[in-house]
Amino acid sequence: LRKGNREDWSKNKKDLAKIYLASVLSKNWDVVGLEYDNLLTRSDGKLMVIDPGGSFHFRAQGGFKPYDEEPAELHTLMDPNRQSQSARVFGVLDKDLIRSTAYNYLPRFKRSTVHKMFARSGFDDDMSKQFTDTFMKRRNNILKQLAEL
């Protein structure tokens, strides 16, 4: 594994679009990493996120953040004034690719499967239900906002 670069990101736009949408959905503010050290390139050229620690209601350096239904990260992960590293990486993506990737993949997330995912991650039933509800609302809001772009 090695740190990626603009050439890697440009060669792997389809995978990068999936990573971007997964990061928006999971509210992963630290997907790229401060030193571009969370989004790496494998020896086969594929991209790989190695540290999802800043996802959902967790902050990358510890502590909590709200995991809410509004996917502000659709914009903030692309805003160089808010998230300069992620904006540099995801800036190689165009809206049509993001939109088509979202329409192809996000509807595949079914409530029952998402709930099982959270439950198997060690959350109690109440927290799993809460995360599932928010996850599904975020998914729907992402699709709605992308349709309006």
Side-chain angles (χ1 to χ4, degrees):
L1 294 174
R2 63 176 171 76
K3 284 186 185 180
N5 56 48
R6 196 160 186 85
E7 182 180 343
D8 296 330
W9 307 325
S10 293
K11 285 181 183 176
N12 292 287
K13 287 182 181 180
K14 288 182 181 181
D15 287 340
L16 191 62
K18 291 177 197 174
I19 291 168
Y20 168 72
L21 289 164
S23 301
V24 171
L25 190 56
S26 64
K27 199 170 183 171
N28 187 356
W29 293 347
D30 194 38
V31 60
V32 173
L34 189 59
E35 301 292 326
Y36 301 90
D37 53 349
N38 289 346
L39 178 60
L40 302 181
T41 303
R42 301 183 332 193
S43 60
D44 64 1
K46 294 285 188 179
L47 302 176
M48 181 177 188
V49 176
I50 63 161
D51 182 2
S55 298
F56 301 104
H57 75 268
F58 300 102
R59 291 187 178 275
Q61 299 293 319
F64 293 96
K65 65 183 178 196
Y67 180 60
D68 50 7
E69 62 191 63
E70 183 57 38
E73 293 73 22
L74 272 175
H75 307 288
T76 60
L77 289 177
M78 293 281 200
D79 183 347
N81 295 317
R82 303 272 314 266
Q83 295 272 346
S84 61
Q85 290 87 350
S86 64
R88 182 169 179 250
V89 171
F90 297 128
V92 302
L93 300 174
D94 62 68
K95 289 178 184 173
D96 289 334
L97 177 60
I98 293 169
R99 189 180 296 116
S100 66
T101 303
Y103 293 160
N104 190 28
Y105 288 97
L106 295 186
R108 297 180 189 187
F109 288 105
K110 305 300 180 204
R111 178 175 290 281
S112 60
T113 306
V114 171
H115 186 268
K116 285 178 190 173
M117 175 190 68
F118 284 119
R120 289 180 181 160
S121 296
F123 295 107
D124 65 31
D125 196 54
D126 286 341
M127 187 62 82
S128 294
K129 183 183 179 319
Q130 181 182 347
F131 275 141
T132 300
D133 289 345
T134 303
F135 184 98
M136 299 306 290
K137 288 176 183 174
R138 281 180 78 85
R139 180 199 70 172
N140 294 341
N141 286 335
I142 290 167
L143 292 169
K144 179 182 175 189
Q145 288 184 30
L146 287 173
E148 297 169 355
L149 287 179

